[in-house]
Amino acid sequence: MKKKTLLRLTDDELANFCQQLTLLSRAGITGEESVAILLDESETTGKRQLYTGIHNAMLSGATLSAALNESGAFPAYLVQMLEIGQTSGREEQVLDALSTYYQREADTRRALRQTVAYPAGMAALIAVIVLILVARVLPVFQRVFEQLGVAASPTAAILLQFGDAGKYIAIVLAIVLIICAVWLFWMLFQKDARAFGKLFSKTEAARCVDRSRFSSAMALMLASGLPLEASLARVCALLRDSSLSGAMDACYRQTIDGTPFPKAIAASKIFTGIEAGLLSTGFRAGIPDQTLADLGRRAGEQASEHLSRTLVRFEYGLVVALCAAVALVLLSVMLPLLGVLSTIGG
């Protein structure tokens, strides 16, 4: 029975865990001894408790995959792939591939976090600046104009008449933006990057991210010794909620019907053009897992480029909005002051 655990390993921690086991396995150290070494090197109470449970399970005769599954701290995907690796005699290769897979997942999550963090912070800052200008700066100039006997400009008058209502709207806007930013950060930290993917699932960046995950997962499955059709079925189940779910199902049906995998990939438009050609060449060369891994890296780079462009466009929009708000307030107070100065000069 799977035990409940309060410890949830991040993608970076999963990648590090798999990499450590890979290095120890290459040194000829057994799985039980490897876990004992990780236990000795644990620096936190949570990790020590986790590795102690895994080590005890393995001492009782459980395999590494069964012990990880019993701990409840590892995703089902990792456990299933490790079990396949153990069955096929490729545990070391699977661990190495899992390390690469989860490192790429961690990099994707960081890219998504950067896409959310800066624009959300900028939007909140703009709301605060507008609030200060409307609630604090304009009333000061209004009192100065009244003392000088100068009427405020029509724009300033409208803003001042807007008064308290504008202040409250700005406060609400700032609070909403901050809450949204905190919620997005919480979702990114508490779940994996796929959770945030639902928010931009219709964009090209999302499709690139899902292509990267599809390719990485397929490369890992094939490297573990799993047959092509079984690998594709598992990946379809793994990425069921992705933007490529329909395309993957179509690809799977065509593959079952006898269509070569590269042609099914191209026909379902998971990869097209140069990428589809590279995949076909890789299959003919007998290195499908390496080719898919390379396509996964390419798709990840494309996703980063799309996210960067989206971020830049949003930044420009925020900067324009901020400049417009500041310019509106400055013109509202500077035009009457220019009138005063011209009167004094005359």
Side-chain angles (χ1 to χ4, degrees), residues 14-27:
L14 291 171
N16 185 58
F17 174 80
C18 293
Q19 186 61 32
Q20 287 176 308
L21 289 182
T22 301
L23 296 175
L24 292 171
S25 177
R26 288 174 181 171

Side-chain angles (χ1 to χ4, degrees), residues 16 30 43 205 232 266 271 309-311 314 339:
N16 185 58
T30 64
E43 299 179 353
L232 187 54
F271 285 107
R309 287 198 291 268
T310 300
L311 175 60
F314 195 55

Side-chain angles (χ1 to χ4, degrees), residues 131-155:
L131 168 64
I132 294 174
L133 290 175
V134 173
R136 297 295 181 183
V137 177
L138 280 178
V140 172
F141 281 96
Q142 183 185 32
R143 288 192 292 270
V144 172
F145 293 153
E146 290 176 351
Q147 292 175 359
L148 294 175
V150 178
S153 68
T155 302

Side-chain angles (χ1 to χ4, degrees), residues 51-322:
Y51 292 143
T52 298
I54 295 172
H55 187 245
N56 291 337
M58 296 187 71
L59 287 176
S60 300
T63 62
L64 177 59
S65 60
L68 297 184
N69 184 56
E70 184 180 350
S71 72
F74 295 86
Y77 178 67
L78 184 150
V79 174
Q80 293 171 4
M81 291 309 304
L82 184 56
E83 183 178 358
I84 294 171
Q86 291 171 336
T87 303
S88 61
R90 300 185 181 186
E91 180 177 339
E92 181 182 315
Q93 293 89 330
V94 170
L95 284 169
D96 189 29
L98 282 169
S99 174
T100 302
Y101 175 80
Y102 282 108
Q103 188 59 58
R104 188 171 295 124
E105 287 287 285
D107 293 340
T108 299
R109 189 183 66 253
R110 275 190 289 269
L112 292 174
R113 187 186 305 139
Q114 292 172 359
T115 302
V116 173
Y118 187 65
M122 281 283 291
L125 178 61
I126 288 174
V128 172
I129 291 175
V130 172
L131 168 64
I132 294 174
L133 290 175
V134 173
R136 297 295 181 183
V137 177
L138 280 178
V140 172
F141 281 96
Q142 183 185 32
R143 288 192 292 270
V144 172
F145 293 153
E146 290 176 351
Q147 292 175 359
L148 294 175
V150 178
S153 68
T155 302
I158 293 174
L159 289 175
L160 290 171
Q161 289 174 0
F162 198 55
D164 291 337
K167 177 174 65 177
Y168 292 132
I169 290 174
I171 291 175
V172 171
L173 177 61
I175 292 175
V176 169
L177 289 171
I178 292 172
I179 290 175
C180 288
V182 170
W183 174 70
L184 289 171
F185 273 120
W186 176 85
M187 185 167 60
L188 286 172
F189 278 108
Q190 296 299 320
K191 303 178 181 179
D192 60 23
R194 285 185 291 271
F196 181 69
K198 296 178 181 179
L199 298 180
F200 69 117
S201 59
K202 301 300 182 182
T203 66
E204 184 58 29
R207 292 186 64 83
C208 288
V209 169
D210 289 333
R211 288 191 192 104
S212 177
R213 289 185 177 129
F214 171 82
S215 301
S216 300
M218 280 297 299
L220 179 55
M221 298 279 186
L222 294 176
S224 68
L226 201 65
L228 176 61
E229 293 180 359
S231 299
L232 187 54
R234 286 176 177 262
V235 172
C236 288
L238 176 68
L239 302 179
R240 177 57 54 194
D241 295 330
S242 75
S243 61
L244 294 177
S245 59
M248 288 188 297
D249 290 339
C251 178
Y252 178 71
R253 289 193 299 269
Q254 292 181 42
T255 303
I256 292 296
D257 292 338
T259 303
F261 180 70
K263 290 185 178 180
I265 286 287
S268 58
K269 298 184 179 180
I270 296 177
F271 285 107
T272 57
I274 296 176
E275 288 82 4
L278 287 174
L279 182 61
S280 179
T281 302
F283 267 74
R284 290 184 179 182
I287 50 174
D289 54 336
Q290 298 178 27
T291 305
L292 283 164
D294 182 60
L295 288 175
R297 286 190 291 271
R298 288 169 174 259
E301 292 171 358
Q302 291 173 358
S304 298
E305 293 175 0
H306 282 292
L307 290 171
S308 297
R309 287 198 291 268
T310 300
L311 175 60
V312 169
R313 288 195 293 266
F314 195 55
E315 286 178 10
Y316 285 153
L318 290 173
V319 170
V320 169
L322 176 59

